[in-house]
Amino acid sequence: PLLQDAFGLTELEERIRNHYGLKQVIIVPGDSDASAHVKMELGRAGAAALRKAMKEANAVVAVAGGSTMAEVASHLTSAVPMKGVWFVPARGGLGESVELQANTIASTMAKKTGGQYRLLHVPDHLSEEAYQSLMLETGIVEIIQAIRAARIVVHGIGDAMVMAKRRKVDEATRQSLVSEGALAEAFGYYFDRQGRVVHKMPTIGLRIEDIEQMETVIGVAGGKSKGEAIDAVLRYGHEDVLVTDEAAALQIAEHM
Ligand code: BG6
């Protein structure tokens, strides 16, 4: 453990919760940057938080992609099939590899819980023209409506430049992210240190204004290297539940 006994995780959870006005903060011990086991525990805790939010039947859950969400999906279970729950990807075509795509994670979550899912097939790096014509497709319009009807969103948080690199964002965009002060990334939006949205990936699905209307926004992210990014997304101010690890939480506390 990184913390001395006198200053426990529960106290740290409470401090973070109060500071950012969150409903709930869950911290798992350790550093998921350094240990695959801790990342697994982060996924398990994320799955528990999501299960709690999904209590009511007929929930629509929008899920983001990433390796942390993949861990959440692999720990999601349900004793009785959740037939009325729908899993949908939060946004399409962010340039992730298949295993890390929101579509893949939404379908895994549905399979693990006995729920339903719908996929959003959108190519990466949409041009404005392609975007406009996609939005006229009936199939796309329907799934977009389902996504925007979501009451719960569960997402990871990444370091802006790490995410830009992983998604093979072009050099010009990378430069502008740097000059705009992008520090954090979540669901295809980039945030600066103050939590202001400075850039969005050109794709369709949930808009930032949909996130702001959402009943429950659950962020799951850990590892010492993500502390600053998590702080930036919390400053944005629309998270309800944070599931993180001790190493990230200690970094967050330094920024509060
Ligand atoms: C992306 C999500 O797929 O994964 C983002 O859209 C998130 O919300 C990112 O920032 C985090 O990835 P990981 O692998 O660090 O959990």
Side-chain angles (χ1 to χ4, degrees):
L2 306 168
L3 285 172
Q4 293 112 355
D5 295 340
F7 180 59
L9 288 181
T10 317
E11 192 189 328
L12 191 52
E13 286 173 347
E14 197 49 26
R15 278 178 59 209
I16 294 174
R17 195 183 69 75
N18 268 321
H19 183 82
Y20 298 98
L22 302 169
K23 287 187 192 133
Q24 199 190 0
V25 175
I26 298 138
I27 304 174
V28 300
D31 181 356
S32 44
D33 282 344
S35 150
H37 176 77
V38 174
K39 186 136 176 188
M40 211 181 80
E41 290 305 320
L42 184 66
R44 192 194 304 278
L50 177 58
R51 207 176 305 116
K52 192 175 154 203
M54 289 188 310
K55 275 234 168 65
E56 339 85 82
N58 307 323
V60 179
V61 182
V63 302
S67 60
T68 313
M69 280 306 110
E71 283 290 352
V72 172
S74 78
H75 287 95
L76 207 57
T77 51
S78 178
V80 280
M82 303 175 94
K83 290 203 184 90
V85 176
W86 282 84
F87 293 91
V88 293
R91 296 187 74 197
L94 292 176
E96 299 275 15
S97 60
V98 175
E99 319 80 70
L100 302 186
Q101 280 170 19
N103 270 337
T104 311
I105 292 167
S107 73
T108 305
M109 286 183 172
K111 280 172 202 146
K112 302 224 44 170
T113 56
Q116 323 277 323
Y117 67 94
R118 289 197 68 172
L119 302 181
L120 173 61
H121 295 292
V122 180
D124 297 337
H125 311 300
L126 274 187
S127 68
E128 184 59 31
E129 243 184 349
Y131 171 89
Q132 294 302 343
S133 50
L134 259 183
M135 291 305 280
L136 299 172
E137 293 287 333
T138 330
I140 298 280
V141 172
E142 276 170 20
I143 167 86
I144 296 286
Q145 278 167 352
I147 292 173
R148 291 185 182 157
R151 309 233 305 276
I152 301 167
V153 60
V154 56
H155 68 88
I157 296 169
D159 171 84
M161 295 330 284
V162 170
M163 291 308 299
K165 196 169 169 215
R166 186 165 101 190
R167 290 168 173 167
K168 301 190 173 62
V169 163
D170 62 74
E171 191 48 35
T173 310
R174 243 190 264 189
Q175 301 256 311
S176 69
L177 284 172
V178 172
S179 62
E180 287 155 351
L183 193 94
E185 187 280 343
F187 36 83
Y189 285 83
Y190 287 84
F191 302 82
D192 71 6
R193 191 174 294 279
Q194 280 79 43
R196 291 179 299 228
V197 175
V198 291
H199 184 84
K200 69 171 196 222
M201 300 276 287
T203 187
I204 57 180
L206 274 192
R207 299 157 300 185
I208 202 86
E209 55 267 42
D210 301 318
I211 302 277
E212 290 164 14
Q213 301 301 318
M214 200 71 59
E215 208 170 275
T216 309
V217 181
I218 306 172
V220 189
K224 189 173 181 200
S225 64
K226 285 192 183 181
E228 276 196 307
I230 298 169
D231 167 67
V233 172
L234 294 177
R235 280 169 195 257
Y236 163 63
H238 294 280
E239 299 291 316
D240 296 297
V241 179
L242 172 71
V243 183
T244 189
D245 65 19
E246 189 177 357
L250 288 170
Q251 293 296 310
I252 297 166
E254 273 185 28
H255 288 88
M256 297 193 316

